[in-house]
Structures are given as structure tokens and as C-alpha cells.
Amino acid sequence: MTALLHQGHDEEAIAFLSLHASPLARLGKRENGGLSVYVRGVCEELGARGIHTDVFVRRTDPDQPEEQVMGPRSRIIAVSAGPSRPLPKYQLPLTRAEYLAGVRQFISQSQRNYTAVHSHYWLSAEAGAALTEDLGLPWLHTAHTLAAVKGELGFDGDGPERLVAERRAVAAGAKLVANTSAEANDLRRHYGALPGQCMVAPPGVDLVLFQPRDASRLRARLGLEGRKVVLFAGRLEPLKGPDTLLDAFALLPGVGGLAEPAQLLFVGELSSEGARVGQRREMQERVASLGLSNQVSFLGAQPQERLALLYCLADVVVMPSHTESFGLVALEAQACGTPVVGAAVGGLREVIADGQTGYLVKGREPQDYAAAIAKVLVAAPAAAERMGHAAWQRAQRFSWERTVDLLLPEYGLAPKLAVAVGRGCR
């Protein structure tokens, strides 16, 4: 295809490809999770440094405007690809060709000169490869999760075409942006990524939004005074392990030492993948069979500001995931000064300091999770305060400024852009 070069365009920008989900959508709803947080966090930091970004998403509402402002110097560009409504995840691959055509059309008519392409998740990889060939630009790809890793654990939600798409991105020479060193190793081990093809750029956390604060009013509004609160935040799908947490919570009274009653809060909704397996219905039936209907609450997806308060009112956040490429929930919770009990898998091993900011649990046994949760809940006030402070301190190591510092050279941008506009030198 003829290169889509734009002579005379005076505004440079980076093109972000996110067919899968929009950074403007509510987190924990359908497919929106860590990917959306990552894209928005990076784009906001780039905007603070004077760098323009366009995030290309699939239109999911006929009234959705073509362009929406996400933040300073950052736009969401909605392209028509398939019907203009939310689709089940298994139907999204059918929209890839139309999505690419829509992105190409917008770029060909744009007054911006794109300087790099950064695709996210396997559904955007094909478009990333094609646009890189069109424009002759640096191409970065972030997988967020890997089919081969999920396959090792017995999860095959997307079929063989996902594995093929991920392998093609590696073979096509994309610069692979991994969230952790463990993910970089997986890219080399499962996909044959070449030496130097992978880079590690850990996500950051919004340390202004996610910080310790008084959540007593929300606790009272939810009727949680005098109760220990256990919190799960994420999509309700098998991969995230909410069933393991539910079984562990049912075992808490038998662990011993817990004087106050406990309440389990599930924050998040079904992904389309979860909906296909009836995850929420099965969980509700399980809650009833365990006699826990008054001790378990499903709050649905929550806006970021409310989620931050929920982290603050929780005594412990639990992430019993089968795999996590990073684990942004754990980082956000720790930034709020809340200990985290998480699976000893993937990025969680790099986010949680075992025994200091929470506990890592090996294996899938609910009894082991119950024991780790109880350790946090029954800790003496001084010990609980120390663990909460250590969690907050650990989160300070992760910022979007650091993430963007690592990405800048891969975008081909000048080192001077490491100085944030309006913030001076760091």
C-alpha cells in the first residue's frame, strides 16, 4: 500500500491502538481493566510533556463522537468496525480488518504527523504491523496478557487465532514492551523473541488519586462499621480467581483469632468471556449455598474515585489470579496503604513484598488464602499500621513518569522531552 506520509503537517503525535477497550470506559466493566489504565496513564504523562497522542478505539455506540478529549494533548478516536455496540469478546476478531481500514482513513486525512505506533493487546497487533509498514515508523506492542501463558494454565478463551496473532507480532519485529521481567522471559520462552527485542517498562500508578484517605463516611454508608472488609477488584472471570476467594472467605471463621465479623466486597463486572461461562450466576448460587448472602456484596464496576475510597476502607485486598502480567489492582491498593494478599504468579511477585506489604500465596488452595487473609485481619494495630505504611512506600516506586522515561527512546523522541511541561526538571 502507498505510504501514508503527510508532508507539511506541523503537529506530531503517537498513535495508540486499542481495539479491545477504551480508556474512557468504566474500569471493571466488560473488558476494561489494566490495559485501559495503562493506556490512559501513559498518554496523560506524555501530554504533560507536550507530546500529542491519539488512541484509536472501536466505536461502541452510534452516538459516540469520532473525537473525544481524554486529557491535555490526548484524544480518543472512535472508528467504525462492526456494529456500533458492545460485542462479546469472541466476536471482536471479526472487526479487525474494518478497524484497520478506519484507522488508515483517519490517518490519511489527519493534520498530524505520526511518529510512532503503539499497539495494545493481540486484537490490535495486526493493525500495528500494517500501519508500521504503511508509515515506516517505530512499532511498539504491549501484550498485557499472553495466550501461551494462559494455555499453560488450561485457559483457552480466545482460540488459536490469538496465539497466531501474538506470534506474528513477534516475528514481524515489533518492539515488545513487557510489564515485568517475568513477562519478558515468557516472550522469549514461548514466542522466540530475539535478544534486545523485549524491553521492560513497569506500569505506574496515579499517586494523587490513590493515596491513604479517610473512608469512614463511605464505610458508614455501606453499613460496614464494626466489620473487617475483604475486597476483590477486577473482572469477575475464572482467570481472576473470584471463586477461590469466595471459598477462602467461607473458611475464615474456622481459622481463628478473628473477633469482628467480616464482609467480602466484589468490585467489578463480568467480562464477555466470563458471561459465556455463567461466572456471576455460579458465584451467587455458591454464596447462597454457603449461607453467606449477608456477608458478600457485589458492587459492580465503580468509577476510579470511588474505587480509591473502597481500597482505603478495605482491611485487605485479595488477588487470587491464576496469572497476572503485572497486577495494577495490587499497586493501587498499596498506594492507598492497604495490604494485599495475592497469588505468587507473574507480576504480583514484583509488586507485593511478601511479609512486608502483604502476602504471596503459592498454589490454589482456599485454606492457604484464608490463612494469609487472617494474618492481615488479626494483626495488632501497630503491626497493621506498619504493613499499611510499607505498602504505601512500595507504591511510591512506581510512577507513570518512570514508565514514560523508559518508553521515550523507543518512540524515537528527543531526550529533552524527559522534562515535563509545566513541572520543570525532576
Side-chain angles (χ1 to χ4, degrees):
M1 180 173 179
T2 304
L4 304 174
L5 300 178
H6 310 292
Q7 300 299 324
H9 295 181
D10 56 5
E11 193 170 82
E12 294 186 338
I14 300 170
F16 283 74
L17 306 180
S18 182
L19 183 157
H20 180 55
S22 170
L24 292 181
R26 180 171 291 184
L27 298 174
K29 188 175 180 65
R30 293 186 67 85
E31 309 306 329
N32 294 291
L35 182 157
S36 297
V37 174
Y38 185 100
V39 171
R40 186 163 190 160
V42 169
C43 288
E44 287 180 349
E45 178 60 27
L46 287 169
R49 302 183 189 212
I51 304 164
H52 293 269
T53 55
D54 283 344
V55 182
F56 293 89
V57 303
R58 189 184 74 84
R59 178 175 282 108
T60 56
D61 186 314
D63 297 324
Q64 184 177 355
E66 183 179 48
E67 299 181 24
Q68 290 176 276
V69 174
M70 184 169 67
R73 304 177 183 85
S74 185
R75 304 183 298 184
I76 296 291
I77 309 298
V79 301
S80 295
S84 298
R85 56 179 171 81
L87 292 175
K89 189 177 176 183
Y90 69 91
Q91 292 184 2
L92 289 176
L94 302 176
T95 69
R96 286 180 292 176
E98 198 173 351
Y99 172 79
L100 172 59
V103 175
R104 275 175 165 156
Q105 181 178 4
F106 184 92
I107 287 178
S108 68
Q109 299 170 357
S110 174
Q111 295 303 306
R112 287 187 166 176
N113 178 30
Y114 293 94
T115 58
V117 174
H118 193 164
S119 56
H120 292 266
Y121 201 55
W122 72 275
L123 288 167
S124 301
E126 183 178 284
L131 289 172
T132 299
E133 184 176 348
D134 291 347
L135 301 166
L137 299 176
W139 172 31
L140 288 72
H141 179 71
T142 303
H144 294 281
T145 60
L146 294 167
V149 175
K150 292 175 70 175
E152 278 189 323
L153 299 168
F155 291 91
D156 186 33
D158 301 308
E161 62 185 333
R162 173 175 177 173
L163 190 59
V164 169
E166 291 175 346
R167 285 175 172 164
R168 284 177 176 169
V170 176
K175 186 70 176 186
L176 304 172
V177 182
N179 289 329
T180 64
S181 57
E183 185 183 3
N185 289 334
D186 287 334
L187 285 163
R188 290 187 284 266
R189 180 166 61 99
H190 292 292
Y191 296 87
L194 299 174
Q197 189 177 4
C198 297
M199 66 165 293
V200 178
V205 63
D206 185 338
L207 295 170
V208 175
L209 176 60
F210 297 102
Q211 62 173 297
R213 63 185 76 220
D214 183 9
S216 57
R217 291 178 61 184
L218 179 58
R219 179 180 280 270
R221 194 178 309 134
L222 294 176
L224 297 173
E225 292 174 307
R227 288 178 173 267
K228 294 291 188 179
V229 177
V230 180
L231 178 69
F232 172 98
R235 294 186 302 278
L236 299 181
E237 62 183 24
L239 191 69
K240 299 294 184 181
D243 52 337
T244 300
L245 174 54
L246 183 58
D247 290 341
F249 184 77
L251 295 173
L252 269 182
V255 175
L258 187 60
E260 299 112 319
Q263 189 78 20
L264 174 57
L265 306 181
F266 283 103
V267 177
E269 294 183 1
L270 293 170
S271 67
S272 55
E273 179 181 355
R276 298 215 315 274
V277 297
Q279 178 80 354
R280 182 160 182 172
R281 185 193 70 250
E282 293 172 4
M283 287 181 64
Q284 290 172 328
E285 292 173 353
R286 179 70 173 150
V287 168
S289 70
L290 292 169
L292 296 174
S293 297
N294 294 328
Q295 294 172 256
V296 178
S297 303
F298 294 89
L299 302 185
Q302 298 289 323
Q304 286 285 81
E305 294 76 12
R306 180 73 171 260
L307 178 60
L309 278 176
L310 286 166
Y311 286 141
C312 291
L313 75 77
D315 295 284
V316 61
V317 170
V318 186
M319 294 188 69
S321 307
H322 289 264
T323 181
E324 285 285 350
S325 63
F326 185 71
L328 274 170
V329 165
L331 184 57
E332 291 169 350
Q334 291 183 155
C336 292
T338 302
V340 180
V341 169
V345 298
L348 292 176
R349 292 174 295 188
E350 299 186 26
V351 176
I352 301 168
D354 189 31
Q356 299 174 42
T357 69
Y359 297 100
L360 291 169
V361 179
K362 296 179 180 179
R364 306 295 311 162
E365 291 300 322
Q367 183 67 43
D368 295 334
Y369 276 95
I373 294 168
K375 277 186 186 180
V376 178
L377 298 185
V378 304
E385 185 176 346
R386 283 196 300 272
M387 181 168 277
H389 184 68
W392 175 82
Q393 282 186 313
R394 189 167 183 83
Q396 306 311 299
R397 297 168 46 187
F398 297 86
S399 71
W400 292 114
E401 292 179 71
R402 176 173 175 249
T403 306
V404 169
D405 281 342
L406 294 167
L407 291 173
L408 280 175
E410 306 302 334
Y411 290 145
L413 294 173
K416 67 180 180 181
L417 292 173
V419 178
V421 173
R423 287 207 299 255
C425 297
R426 294 192 308 283

